[in-house]
Amino acid sequence: MSWEEERSSPSESFEVDEESLEELLRELEETAATSSTDKKEGEEEERMAVSQVGEESPLAVSRERAWYIVHCYAGSEHKVKHSLEQRIASLGMQRKIFNIVVPEEEEIELREGKKRPVRRRIYPGYILVEMIMDEDSWAVVRFTPGVTGFVGMGNQPTPLRPEEVQAIFKRMESKAPRIRVTFKPGQKVRITEGPFADFVGIVDEIDLDKAKVRVLVSFFGRETPVELDFTQVEKI
């Protein structure tokens, strides 16, 4: 059964503060960065590393399935996912490591006044792994090429809470693609369409929900606010 089939559909009334979730990831990333070290690959090293974890800082073993955040090199998320899937199959770890997800969302990119659908990684440099945590499963994930470490406090991988996982999946399943703009308040833009075509103005406000931007245009010596669609302006 695939991970899409196993997990329940998010509730429509469920809400999680995305800023809090991203702050959690930032904090865990900083902790993971200080505790991760460069290690060579190889079966002998994996056994030594597992032994070291057991002696110096006992791994918090769990019999429960949970989602963990794994840090990898940015831009290599799908490659790491493929490598980990191969290791799971070759080492027979299907009963301990179940699903690997690269969190992505549909996005509309605006370039030169044109819309282009793209897939964007929500958290570059991270993948999610659903697993039962013990020394063997930890080693299989940790020593996958491209993985720099588990995200957690100290040497202990921290499982995501169910509501955090649900918030990520809900964002991935959103039917309304997010619109990505290349300009921001205070920047100069050129109006490309309408009665103010070719005018240059300053971005005053951006409304992502309505895909509108308010631009301050100098008209007869006075600044005039003009509301436009995202596709009607371009960054200078």
Side-chain angles (χ1 to χ4, degrees):
M1 182 180 294
S2 66
W3 67 269
E4 292 94 339
E5 295 171 333
E6 287 182 349
R7 61 185 174 81
S8 58
S9 300
S11 169
E12 290 299 325
S13 60
F14 182 80
E15 291 185 3
V16 169
D17 184 351
E18 289 190 6
E19 290 186 4
S20 298
L21 182 59
E22 293 190 8
E23 180 64 28
L24 166 71
L25 287 170
R26 282 194 294 270
E27 291 176 359
L28 295 182
E29 179 187 16
E30 291 172 2
T31 304
T34 58
S35 63
S36 63
T37 57
D38 293 330
K39 296 182 178 70
K40 296 180 181 178
E41 295 178 33
E43 294 300 322
E44 181 61 28
E45 186 188 16
E46 290 189 19
R47 288 194 293 270
M48 292 176 63
V50 172
S51 175
Q52 185 178 14
V53 169
E55 292 175 4
E56 296 184 1
S57 180
L59 188 68
V61 175
S62 174
R63 294 183 180 180
E64 300 296 325
R65 292 170 63 150
W67 286 93
Y68 294 86
I69 308 172
V70 175
H71 191 273
C72 61
Y73 297 117
S76 67
E77 296 87 355
H78 285 284
K79 184 177 180 180
V80 168
K81 179 178 184 290
H82 180 66
S83 296
L84 179 52
E85 288 171 341
Q86 289 184 321
R87 283 170 61 79
I88 293 169
S90 63
L91 297 173
M93 294 296 291
Q94 294 90 339
R95 294 185 178 180
K96 292 185 179 180
I97 305 175
F98 310 102
N99 297 300
I100 307 130
V101 175
V102 178
E104 293 181 318
E105 64 183 346
E106 191 77 24
E107 192 173 68
I108 299 297
E109 186 179 61
L110 297 175
R111 282 191 179 276
E112 298 178 352
K114 297 180 180 180
K115 295 181 180 180
R116 185 168 66 95
V118 295
R119 294 289 297 174
R120 186 183 73 88
R121 287 180 289 279
I122 299 175
Y123 305 114
Y126 293 102
I127 62 174
L128 302 183
V129 180
E130 186 187 25
M131 59 189 288
I132 293 174
M133 181 62 68
D134 64 16
E135 292 178 353
D136 293 332
S137 60
W138 176 88
V140 170
V141 176
R142 174 62 185 85
F143 290 97
T144 296
V147 169
T148 59
F150 278 90
V151 173
M153 306 306 292
N155 291 325
Q156 297 296 343
T158 301
L160 284 170
R161 297 191 300 272
E163 61 268 24
E164 293 167 342
V165 177
Q166 198 173 16
I168 294 172
F169 286 146
K170 182 178 180 180
R171 182 169 172 179
M172 290 174 63
E173 294 171 345
S174 176
K175 294 181 179 179
R178 294 192 173 205
I179 297 178
R180 181 205 239 167
V181 294
T182 57
F183 47 80
K184 58 185 178 181
Q187 288 186 328
K188 286 185 177 181
V189 292
R190 178 179 288 106
I191 300 174
T192 59
E193 298 178 11
F196 292 95
D198 294 327
F199 274 63
V200 172
I202 303 295
V203 175
D204 181 49
E205 185 177 309
I206 296 173
D207 189 333
L208 292 175
D209 293 331
K210 296 180 180 179
K212 297 283 187 181
V213 57
R214 187 168 66 192
V215 178
L216 299 179
V217 178
S218 180
F219 192 64
F220 292 119
R222 299 179 59 183
E223 279 195 336
T224 303
V226 180
E227 187 176 74
L228 302 159
D229 292 334
F230 285 163
T231 56
Q232 294 179 293
V233 299
E234 63 181 12
K235 182 181 176 182
I236 297 177

